[in-house]
């Protein structure tokens, strides 16, 4: 589902005035989610899952084109854990 499709569904279900309002809701939600992730907060969406940040360890990788070994530094990454209820409903 693309953003415009999501906006249409959101507008219809919440009886919003226009697609512009629905897009503003989506944009604001994405902004809040991003800000929380940058701050290192954990975000739980009931029945969907949990977003949290973690550190990816430094490691050595090989460039498949040249064969050179390169060092990849540690970095922050986003992890998502699916809620059990969503997992169960997907497999029914």
């Amino acid at each position: 589902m693309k953003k415009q499709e999501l906006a249409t569904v959101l507008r219809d279900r919440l009886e919003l005035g226009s697609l512009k309002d629905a897009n503003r809701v989506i944009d604001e939600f994405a902004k809040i989610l991003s800000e929380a992730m940058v701050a290192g907060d954990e975000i739980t969406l009931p029945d969907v899952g949990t977003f949290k940040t973690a550190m990816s360890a430094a490691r050595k990788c090989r460039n498949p084109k040249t064969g050179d070994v390169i060092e990849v530094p540690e970095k922050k990454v986003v992890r998502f854990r699916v809620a059990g209820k969503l997992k169960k409903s997907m497999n029914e």
Side-chain angles (χ1 to χ4, degrees), residues 66-86:
T66 64
D68 294 340
V69 175
I70 57 172
E71 184 73 27
V72 177
E74 74 175 2
K75 61 184 175 182
K76 282 186 179 180
V77 294
V78 176
R79 302 274 189 233
F80 178 74
R81 182 162 183 173
V82 179
K85 189 172 184 178
L86 176 59

Side-chain angles (χ1 to χ4, degrees), residues 21-87:
D21 292 337
N23 276 309
R24 285 183 47 223
V25 170
I26 294 168
D27 291 341
E28 197 61 32
F29 176 74
K31 183 178 175 183
I32 292 167
L33 184 68
S34 296
E35 290 169 353
M37 297 279 43
V38 169
D41 295 338
E42 186 174 294
I43 298 142
T44 301
L45 300 174
D47 303 332
V48 175
T50 302
F51 292 91
K52 61 182 173 179
T53 57
M55 289 301 292
S56 172
R59 62 190 190 283
K60 293 183 181 189
C61 293
R62 187 173 302 276
N63 182 331
K65 200 172 207 178
T66 64
D68 294 340
V69 175
I70 57 172
E71 184 73 27
V72 177
E74 74 175 2
K75 61 184 175 182
K76 282 186 179 180
V77 294
V78 176
R79 302 274 189 233
F80 178 74
R81 182 162 183 173
V82 179
K85 189 172 184 178
L86 176 59
K87 202 181 292 187

Side-chain angles (χ1 to χ4, degrees), residues 1-13 16 18-24 26:
M1 178 180 289
K2 295 186 179 184
K3 181 181 176 184
Q4 287 307 310
E5 296 167 327
L6 178 60
T8 301
V9 172
L10 194 60
R11 178 197 63 195
D12 295 343
R13 288 194 184 177
L16 297 173
S18 66
L19 278 177
K20 184 177 178 181
D21 292 337
N23 276 309
R24 285 183 47 223
I26 294 168

Side-chain angles (χ1 to χ4, degrees), residues 85-92:
K85 189 172 184 178
L86 176 59
K87 202 181 292 187
K88 183 179 176 184
S89 68
M90 288 178 63
N91 292 304
E92 287 181 343

